[in-house]
Amino acid sequence: RELQAMGEDDRCHVLVKGFRTDGGFYPVKEKAHKIEFIGDSITSGEGTYGATEDTEWLTMYMSSSRHYGNLIGKALDADIHIISQGGWGVLTGWDNNPNCNIPSVYEKVCGLAAGDFNAALGAKQEYDFKWQPDVVIINLGTNDNSAFHQPAWMDPVSGISYKQELTETGEFEEKSRERLEQAVIAFLKTIRKHNPDSFLLWCYGMLGYDLNIPLISAVDRYRKESGDTNVAFINLPDTLQKDYGSHMHPGYACHEIAAGVLIDYLTKKFGWEEKTRRGNL
């Protein structure tokens, strides 16, 4: 599989029972670098296949084969890990559902795979974090912004409603903004706890810049509170109308542009060599 987990469908699995081959298995050459990507539907590659007019909910439009993370991995000879889920944020999902946040599953093995069957296979167990990335790239905030513009979400069990609020003038309501910033700070602390030497890079912007100020503020607050200077924030280019793909998500052209920005950033910061010519991404 090269698409995100379908967590709500406990019947969806890929199980390897064995291999039949007329050849042999050989060690895979170790890559020069390791990069972890954390995000939402953008990082799941939604929109990288299909046209702008394609709006049906089909998984064929969602693929990690052509998204910015894979392009970066190829260009920089990096082994990559991806933790992403469409519609999820750092605090809530796009619809204000507080259960749909990436930090809640980050520390688990296949944390997005729900149901008893997946649990029996080992999902939801504690992840050991033995794989240590050189860089962790977090691309979250797009769905958190959507939550400010959606109706409240009501928990069907408790009856409690959750809503990120705007003021009458369209500004972020103070308590709602603080909840978001605290979620960012807490997640950065969690990532740092498990990746003590990794460079943490929060990126944002492929679908608008509404949360720029709160996100930059949160990263800066984390840096000051923790004394951790091995962290930064970067904007990615917004998607032009001509570059939208299916599901009104960034298309392949936009992912190429975003990958180029991050490749330039990483090569300049660390002196990494770009293994693949930009035009051949």
Side-chain angles (χ1 to χ4, degrees):
R1 289 173 66 95
E2 43 84 65
L3 70 160
Q4 68 177 25
M6 297 301 165
E8 296 178 357
D9 187 356
D10 192 33
R11 301 168 299 172
C12 185
H13 314 283
V14 173
L15 301 178
V16 179
K17 300 293 187 179
F19 297 94
R20 178 180 297 173
T21 176
D22 61 355
F25 291 98
Y26 296 90
V28 177
K29 182 182 177 182
E30 186 173 349
K31 299 292 184 70
H33 312 292
K34 296 177 181 178
I35 305 176
E36 179 173 272
F37 294 89
I38 304 172
D40 47 39
S41 58
I42 297 173
T43 306
S44 292
E46 185 169 352
T48 52
Y49 285 91
T52 307
E53 297 79 15
D54 294 322
T55 57
E56 295 176 281
W57 182 247
L58 301 174
T59 54
M60 65 178 286
Y61 300 139
M62 183 184 300
S63 171
S64 63
S65 67
R66 303 207 304 170
H67 73 13
Y68 71 98
N70 200 358
L71 298 176
I72 292 169
K74 291 179 178 179
L76 298 179
D77 188 30
D79 190 11
I80 66 172
H81 278 192
I82 304 169
I83 302 129
S84 63
Q85 186 74 355
W88 286 40
V90 65
L91 176 64
T92 73
W94 68 274
D95 58 353
N96 283 288
N97 185 340
N99 301 309
C100 296
N101 68 84
I102 296 295
S104 67
V105 300
Y106 179 71
E107 297 175 289
K108 307 295 182 182
V109 175
C110 298
L112 288 159
D116 294 337
F117 186 85
N118 287 317
L121 295 174
K124 304 292 187 182
Q125 294 181 6
E126 296 295 320
Y127 179 55
D128 60 19
F129 290 94
K130 290 181 179 179
W131 192 87
Q132 286 287 294
D134 300 300
V135 179
V136 179
I137 295 177
I138 310 106
N139 187 354
L140 288 171
T142 300
N143 291 303
D144 294 282
N145 179 59
S146 294
F148 281 95
H149 305 278
Q150 297 296 323
W153 182 86
M154 179 177 289
D155 189 316
V157 177
S158 67
I160 298 175
S161 293
Y162 297 87
K163 177 75 176 85
Q164 286 291 83
E165 300 282 0
L166 295 172
T167 66
E168 293 182 357
T169 57
E171 304 295 325
F172 297 122
E173 186 259 337
E174 185 176 348
K175 291 182 179 179
S176 297
R177 171 174 164 161
E178 180 62 17
R179 280 194 294 269
L180 175 63
E181 291 195 19
Q182 287 295 339
V184 172
I185 293 168
F187 193 31
L188 286 170
K189 289 179 178 178
T190 298
I191 298 171
R192 173 58 71 217
K193 171 186 173 183
H194 297 295
N195 306 279
D197 300 318
S198 303
F199 177 65
L200 311 185
L201 181 60
W202 199 293
C203 61
Y204 175 70
M206 293 171 73
L207 286 174
Y209 300 106
D210 289 359
L211 282 189
N212 243 25
I213 294 176
L215 290 177
I216 293 172
S217 172
V219 172
D220 187 54
R221 288 172 62 183
Y222 163 76
R223 188 185 293 110
K224 291 177 179 177
E225 290 176 15
S226 65
D228 183 1
T229 59
N230 201 22
V231 58
F233 177 93
I234 185 173
N235 273 133
L236 298 179
D238 201 3
T239 302
L240 301 176
Q241 189 63 40
K242 67 180 181 64
D243 292 333
Y244 274 96
S246 56
H247 296 176
M248 286 304 295
H249 275 64
Y252 179 57
C254 183
H255 280 261
E256 283 189 303
I257 295 169
V261 170
L262 290 169
I263 290 167
D264 286 342
Y265 185 96
L266 295 174
T267 53
K268 290 176 182 177
K269 181 171 181 62
F270 297 108
W272 291 355
E273 182 182 354
E274 189 173 346
K275 300 290 185 179
T276 305
R277 291 177 60 86
R278 192 67 54 86
N280 296 324
L281 284 177

